[in-house]
Amino acid sequence: MEDANPELESFREQWRREVIVRSNKDWPPSVPSKLEPKTPESRLAPTSAPRREDSGEEEDIITIKKHHDLADKDFTSRLGGGGILGNSSNSARRGSVGADDAPLSALEHYEKAVEKESQGNLGDSLDLYRKAYRMDASVDKSYGNKYFPPSPFLKPLALGPSSASWTVPTSVRPSLQGLQSSTAQLITKFASTPIAPAPPPTEGSLPPACPIATIPSEILVEVLVFSAVADIASFVKLAQVCKRFAYLVATEERVWKRVCCGSEFGFGAMHYDYRCSIFGEPLPRDNEGHLHSHPLQNELGTTAPLDTSPVAFSLPHTTYSSWRLMFHARPRIRFSGVYISTVNYIRPGASSTTQVSWNTPVHIVTYYRYLRFFRDGTVLSLLSVAEPKDVVQHLTKENVAFHSTGAAGSLPSAIVKQTLRGRWRLSGPAGPSNSEEPEGDLHIETEGVDEKYFYKLHLAIRSASSANNTRKPKGNKLVWKGFWSYNRLTDDWAEFGLRNDRAFFWSRVKSYGL
């Protein structure tokens, strides 16, 4: 029988060996430790199985492992060994190394945690992170100082003979006061940063030329002064160009001094006494140079002398530590736009007397107040139901004078024919006759709807920013404090109610220019 079926017996024997190999987990047998070589290289090498006498069996076993032990072979290859014995020796070696290199300090725990995290072992890394932070709460800073030390400042770029006077950083600058501490420290780090040119457009090409990086410091400051005088908003946006410009915009006091003392946006155009009459006529002067009010307005006029020097009104005092902070924080009037107050309220309507209704009608009333100030001390006031988009472009002195006679009533600019002319002044210690008034109030006098009346408005200059904003600029919001009417015939004052009136908010109008 056996001679008749040799192939069947061979298949059965091969199958038995395969079952034994797959069921015996300890195969091949481990070699005694005393037979292991002493060298580290041989200790890490996998131990081969005992040689079989039958070469056919060895070939069969190799074939079986090739087809059925792929998972085991992949596992051993990932661990760096060639077999089960190699894996055990590798794990023993790693255990001994880990025992010798056990972390002791908080920094060593943190380093070990970073290593475990990079290997994907998030559980062990989390435990090591916790141990590190229990030992030292600021271990992350120690790790950053060890592996990521702060780079030293670059040397100042010598752009001109006097560039060192404004490129050397200082620990505390008065011009940076008023900013948040983190922002001030960041801007201070930009002190030695040069103006970097634009990167090359393509790889291997030359970078474009940057002539402004080679301009001497004196000329660069003059360029910034012209930019600030032309448009202060565009000058501030230069801080977004590069780090060097951000430092200059925040700290260059020569630019901010010119802005504060000038009449374009600064306090050179602020008036702390009336400079003209209600109708825009200049006040007469006596032999001593004093200004006198209009003869029809002696009750509201002033006879105090005025100092026409802009520096007298704009020198910073103890409240402001720098010209930049003074420009942002000191109350002032803005001329490149219009102040608008939007009033909305509901009033009940009248019910019909001829029919029965189940409800009472109501009226939603909306109107606007406009105030536009001029540098010569005059102001235009308008109360209208027209929306700002239909009014602001026509709110000029020329249109008001043209439509005051009632001519050309069909033109679009006729919407400003009810505009009232007036004058304005600020309160504060800068005015010689108003030294006892608190700074920050605005007084406006306008003509009335009739010749025998004129109006007086008392407003407070505030900021439209939130209360938590420490850098909120003044001058973009006017809050009501009082509104009166004066009758020149009867010498009576009457106060208007301000229950429905709202504050004025400044809105820039590009057509006004400066």
Side-chain angles (χ1 to χ4, degrees), residues 245-441:
F245 279 176
Y247 178 79
L248 293 177
V249 169
T251 61
E252 188 52 58
E253 288 293 281
R254 285 174 287 182
V255 178
W256 289 108
K257 181 179 179 180
R258 172 63 180 84
V259 173
C260 286
C261 295
S263 60
E264 295 83 5
F265 304 97
F267 301 95
M270 301 298 108
H271 305 301
Y272 297 88
D273 272 310
Y274 293 118
R275 304 302 301 271
C276 61
S277 67
I278 284 181
F279 306 102
E281 302 170 354
L283 296 179
R285 292 179 178 269
D286 56 14
N287 296 331
E288 297 180 358
H290 296 173
L291 295 176
H292 292 280
S293 61
H294 194 273
L296 298 179
Q297 303 162 37
N298 290 328
E299 298 84 355
L300 300 176
T302 178
T303 59
L306 288 177
D307 188 357
T308 58
S309 174
V311 181
F313 292 133
S314 56
L315 284 177
H317 45 81
T318 56
T319 306
Y320 312 106
S321 58
S322 64
W323 293 100
R324 184 192 61 81
L325 183 60
M326 175 183 174
F327 181 79
H328 285 285
R330 190 176 184 184
R332 60 186 175 89
I333 294 297
R334 305 192 180 195
F335 306 106
S336 57
V338 60
Y339 291 85
I340 304 174
S341 172
T342 305
V343 181
N344 290 289
Y345 68 93
I346 299 175
R347 65 177 180 86
S351 301
S352 176
T353 58
T354 60
Q355 60 182 358
V356 179
S357 60
W358 293 95
N359 54 5
T360 302
V362 294
H363 298 282
I364 301 176
V365 181
T366 302
Y367 64 90
Y368 305 89
R369 290 185 182 272
Y370 302 90
L371 287 176
R372 183 185 177 184
F373 296 89
F374 296 89
R375 293 177 177 82
D376 58 356
T378 59
V379 63
L380 296 179
S381 175
L382 175 62
L383 173 65
S384 175
V385 296
E387 296 183 359
K389 64 179 181 179
D390 301 324
V391 175
V392 294
Q393 57 182 335
H394 304 297
L395 195 60
T396 61
K397 290 183 178 181
E398 294 76 10
N399 290 334
V400 172
F402 179 73
H403 293 284
S404 60
T405 58
S410 60
L411 295 178
S413 58
I415 199 171
V416 299
K417 63 181 179 181
Q418 301 296 333
T419 302
L420 304 178
R421 296 169 294 176
R423 60 181 183 175
W424 63 272
R425 71 171 179 88
L426 296 176
S427 64
S433 64
N434 305 299
S435 57
E436 298 181 357
E437 289 183 342
E439 189 176 22
D441 287 351

Side-chain angles (χ1 to χ4, degrees), residues 461-483:
I461 302 177
R462 295 292 184 264
S463 174
S465 304
S466 61
N468 298 328
N469 188 0
T470 58
R471 298 173 294 170
K472 51 185 179 181
K474 295 287 186 69
N476 54 3
K477 182 180 179 180
L478 302 178
V479 181
W480 284 98
K481 299 186 71 173
F483 190 14

Side-chain angles (χ1 to χ4, degrees), residues 53-68:
E53 295 180 358
D54 189 1
S55 59
E57 274 189 16
E58 186 176 358
E59 292 177 359
D60 293 339
I61 293 175
I62 294 174
T63 305
I64 292 170
K65 290 184 64 178
K66 180 177 181 181
H67 291 282
H68 299 282

Side-chain angles (χ1 to χ4, degrees), residues 185-201:
Q185 294 175 2
L186 180 63
I187 293 177
T188 304
K189 295 180 181 179
F190 298 160
S192 302
T193 305
I195 299 177

